[in-house]
Amino acid sequence: LRPWAALAGPLLAVAVVTATPAGLQAGELAWPKWLVAGLVAVGGVLVGVWTPLLKARTDALAARTTRAAERAALADEALGRLPGSKGLLVEEVNSRALLHIHEAIPLPPDAAQRQELSAELPLYVPRDTDADLRATLEAMRKTGGFLLLIGPAAAGKTRTAYEAIRAVLPRWRLLMPGDAADVTALATADPPLRNSVVWLDEIQEFLTGPEPLVPVTVRRLLADTSHPVILIGTIWPATFDQLRTIKTAADGGAGEAGPSRGSRDILEMARRFSIAAWSEREWGRAQELAHRDPRIETAARHRGAHGLAQVLSAAPELIHRWQQADNPFGQSVITAAVAARRCGHPNVLPASLLEGLAQEFLAAPQRATAASTWFADALTWACDVVLNGGGIAPLQPYAETIGHIDGYQVSDVLVDHTVAPAPGTAETIPDEIWTRLLSLATPEAGRGIGRAAYFAGRFDHARTHWERAADAGDTRAMRHLGTLLSDQGQT
């Protein structure tokens, strides 16, 4: 209202000096003619002066109103890109798939009718870190902040994060951006974000995509402490360490100008919580809930070396299917998928890549005696679910549109598993696998593969993959390639 109130003075002045002579004449006041003429002259001057000023002010207000409408439209567009349009309340979200929580072993039919049990989510077993995590969230209610949960695949990071915000911030909005571009839109469009949680599960996907998050975007979201926003993300330990590593020139890297600078700065803004191996106290809590949820009872009975969340997501069965495979061709397809992911390939693996790379993991006699349908049969075997149809399988088909499979996704549990016969970390993957990826991977996948090669110290492979991606128009790959070549003296 302040800009409109500022118009009151000019409007009143124009009205007064315009109406006064007419009022004098109408009232037939015996004023000297020279005084009336003077008032008319003064009024004319004031009208001439004030009218353009008034027009300039009204034009400025109109432009300001237009800009405000445009900003409101951008804000609505930014929120409209998210699930639930303008966001869902935390307490309203109960979809495992929406939260990206690993699928659990199925609920037995005789327990499906219990009202306290969810078919999608087993009862939550409190973690040792819950108290500290929730106290931190409580402290951030007034100022906002950034939390990051670090732990291996299927350790329970995402479930722990969700249960924490549901306990502390049930009436806050939950904004679930699909990629870094959505997060950037939220920061730049500046919609009303007060009392919102920005969900960044698998935060590495936001830090390494085509339009990765930059530190200034995160700072902008956190800057207004009077309108608190909380960012909460999850990440694997190895990925966290990789994204925070900056290769120095002595190591053959690109130093502070390397591809991980922005990622490192963002990760260092977060308050970090470790979600590691399950403690005896946590297993004790699981035992207390076992009689209420048969899935927890099954997990507690077969705990072995795995955590409860990993058992619930069938990690032991997945690893057993892979390591103790009675189908060498199916095993080679799974191994190829794991190797490709560890070499930095995006999550969706084309069938042609799996077929070509799987041959690198077959012995010569196996290749010689393979049937013409070996790959189709192996792929079917690798996609078979474990635990009697719980929906969990080593490989899962992936499709953007109905009727067309774009590729396959391998279980994160297997990618995170490093015991033989896994191909190990990116640093220990044989050179021929990196070379084979050159002929099998698309240029679009080259930036991610080049990044993994860079951090594995295989700078020749990094250069080659970045060159292919750069030739395809990937400007991020161009930047990575430029810093690498410059650091190597090829200015």
mmCIF file of all heavy atoms in Angstrom, residues 95-101 120:
data_model
loop_
_atom_site.group_PDB
_atom_site.id
_atom_site.type_symbol
_atom_site.label_atom_id
_atom_site.label_comp_id
_atom_site.label_asym_id
_atom_site.label_seq_id
_atom_site.Cartn_x
_atom_site.Cartn_y
_atom_site.Cartn_z
ATOM 1 N N SER A 95 3.728 -42.795 0.865
ATOM 2 C CA SER A 95 4.059 -43.639 -0.272
ATOM 3 C C SER A 95 5.547 -43.986 -0.274
ATOM 4 O O SER A 95 6.395 -43.101 -0.320
ATOM 5 C CB SER A 95 3.699 -42.926 -1.585
ATOM 6 O OG SER A 95 4.247 -43.610 -2.698
ATOM 7 N N ARG A 96 5.841 -45.279 -0.213
ATOM 8 C CA ARG A 96 7.238 -45.723 -0.263
ATOM 9 C C ARG A 96 7.925 -45.279 -1.545
ATOM 10 O O ARG A 96 9.058 -44.804 -1.537
ATOM 11 C CB ARG A 96 7.274 -47.253 -0.152
ATOM 12 C CG ARG A 96 8.659 -47.846 -0.291
ATOM 13 C CD ARG A 96 8.592 -49.324 -0.599
ATOM 14 N NE ARG A 96 7.925 -49.570 -1.864
ATOM 15 C CZ ARG A 96 8.512 -49.444 -3.056
ATOM 16 N NH1 ARG A 96 9.765 -49.038 -3.134
ATOM 17 N NH2 ARG A 96 7.851 -49.693 -4.166
ATOM 18 N N ALA A 97 7.215 -45.424 -2.666
ATOM 19 C CA ALA A 97 7.816 -45.063 -3.948
ATOM 20 C C ALA A 97 8.097 -43.569 -4.031
ATOM 21 O O ALA A 97 9.146 -43.146 -4.545
ATOM 22 C CB ALA A 97 6.896 -45.490 -5.099
ATOM 23 N N LEU A 98 7.181 -42.743 -3.522
ATOM 24 C CA LEU A 98 7.368 -41.299 -3.565
ATOM 25 C C LEU A 98 8.559 -40.879 -2.717
ATOM 26 O O LEU A 98 9.302 -39.954 -3.076
ATOM 27 C CB LEU A 98 6.094 -40.598 -3.069
ATOM 28 C CG LEU A 98 6.000 -39.089 -3.271
ATOM 29 C CD1 LEU A 98 6.057 -38.741 -4.754
ATOM 30 C CD2 LEU A 98 4.721 -38.554 -2.649
ATOM 31 N N LEU A 99 8.776 -41.557 -1.619
ATOM 32 C CA LEU A 99 9.884 -41.224 -0.721
ATOM 33 C C LEU A 99 11.206 -41.853 -1.148
ATOM 34 O O LEU A 99 12.251 -41.554 -0.589
ATOM 35 C CB LEU A 99 9.548 -41.688 0.694
ATOM 36 C CG LEU A 99 8.401 -40.944 1.392
ATOM 37 C CD1 LEU A 99 7.948 -41.705 2.624
ATOM 38 C CD2 LEU A 99 8.813 -39.531 1.752
ATOM 39 N N HIS A 100 11.177 -42.769 -2.118
ATOM 40 C CA HIS A 100 12.372 -43.498 -2.582
ATOM 41 C C HIS A 100 12.898 -44.442 -1.520
ATOM 42 O O HIS A 100 14.120 -44.656 -1.418
ATOM 43 C CB HIS A 100 13.486 -42.530 -3.001
ATOM 44 C CG HIS A 100 13.124 -41.689 -4.187
ATOM 45 N ND1 HIS A 100 13.906 -40.637 -4.628
ATOM 46 C CD2 HIS A 100 12.069 -41.735 -5.021
ATOM 47 C CE1 HIS A 100 13.336 -40.079 -5.676
ATOM 48 N NE2 HIS A 100 12.220 -40.734 -5.930
ATOM 49 N N ILE A 101 12.019 -45.021 -0.729
ATOM 50 C CA ILE A 101 12.428 -46.011 0.263
ATOM 51 C C ILE A 101 12.461 -47.378 -0.403
ATOM 52 O O ILE A 101 11.574 -47.731 -1.179
ATOM 53 C CB ILE A 101 11.442 -46.022 1.455
ATOM 54 C CG1 ILE A 101 11.518 -44.685 2.195
ATOM 55 C CG2 ILE A 101 11.741 -47.175 2.406
ATOM 56 C CD1 ILE A 101 10.496 -44.545 3.309
ATOM 57 N N GLU A 120 3.194 -51.321 2.588
ATOM 58 C CA GLU A 120 4.384 -50.771 1.953
ATOM 59 C C GLU A 120 5.547 -50.602 2.919
ATOM 60 O O GLU A 120 6.692 -50.869 2.563
ATOM 61 C CB GLU A 120 4.060 -49.406 1.324
ATOM 62 C CG GLU A 120 3.194 -49.489 0.083
ATOM 63 C CD GLU A 120 3.296 -48.233 -0.751
ATOM 64 O OE1 GLU A 120 3.754 -47.207 -0.226
ATOM 65 O OE2 GLU A 120 2.946 -48.294 -1.931
#
